[in-house]
Amino acid sequence: MTKINTSLHSSRRKSRKAHFSAPSGVRRTIMSAPLSKELRDKHNVRAIPIRKDDEVSIVRGSNKGKAGKVTSVYRLKYVIHIERVSREKSNGQSVPLGIHPSKVQITKLKVDKDRENILERISKGREVRAARKKE
């Protein structure tokens, strides 16, 4: 069996090294989150890199069901911080909990000109792929 994607390595060691030493731009794409059913139908896009003012709901883990606005995207740690999702420290101080973007669902996008272009580009690619499949 031949390799499907020759630009990626199948070695666990090299894949982990590539993941944890990835530059910020690559981390952005790794930190993509799926869209909700309504947004998916509207934009014809399954997932998009997460951004600061997006509204999300948590779908996995002990905080499942909680929703809020993304307050920060911490690319170095591969986590996002969501408002009202925090824990109390022993001294009473509140700290935000880091949640991985794959464990949330985007319910409301912050759309600007650049984000609109990204959504359009992904949607167009999906349509081309679907048309090619029908042939």
Side-chain angles (χ1 to χ4, degrees):
M1 191 173 133
T2 60
K3 254 174 125 172
I4 295 165
N5 189 349
T6 53
S7 66
L8 295 174
H9 216 281
S10 56
S11 160
R12 173 180 163 87
R13 180 188 193 177
K14 291 182 180 177
S15 294
R16 282 178 59 82
K17 183 172 175 23
H19 179 80
F20 292 110
S21 62
S24 183
V26 175
R27 284 175 188 247
R28 178 179 168 271
T29 53
I30 292 170
M31 291 178 73
S32 290
L35 299 179
S36 66
K37 290 263 194 315
E38 300 82 47
L39 287 174
R40 200 184 304 170
D41 294 338
K42 183 181 175 187
H43 297 291
N44 191 26
V45 173
R46 189 170 184 84
I48 193 164
I50 202 143
R51 186 185 162 164
K52 189 177 176 184
D53 288 320
D54 289 341
E55 284 180 29
V56 297
S57 64
I58 302 171
V59 293
R60 288 283 180 275
S62 56
N63 291 299
K64 183 178 183 176
K66 290 188 180 176
K69 194 180 269 193
V70 176
T71 54
S72 70
V73 179
Y74 206 147
R75 287 189 190 168
L76 189 68
K77 290 186 177 179
Y78 283 109
V79 296
I80 60 170
H81 295 141
I82 304 164
E83 65 182 10
R84 296 188 303 276
V85 179
S86 58
R87 80 185 279 271
E88 292 279 315
K89 284 169 58 169
S90 58
N91 65 3
Q93 190 181 358
S94 181
V95 287
L97 276 178
I99 313 265
H100 195 274
S102 66
K103 306 302 174 203
V104 301
Q105 193 174 56
I106 300 174
T107 53
K108 190 168 179 237
L109 285 166
K110 180 180 191 233
V111 181
D112 58 3
K113 197 175 70 192
D114 295 329
R115 207 92 185 275
E116 196 72 61
N117 291 341
I118 292 166
L119 287 166
E120 208 172 289
R121 191 176 65 224
I122 297 170
S123 177
K124 204 178 288 179
R126 282 177 68 108
E127 287 167 8
V128 168
R129 207 169 295 125
R132 211 180 291 150
K133 233 177 201 176
K134 284 182 182 174
E135 290 175 7

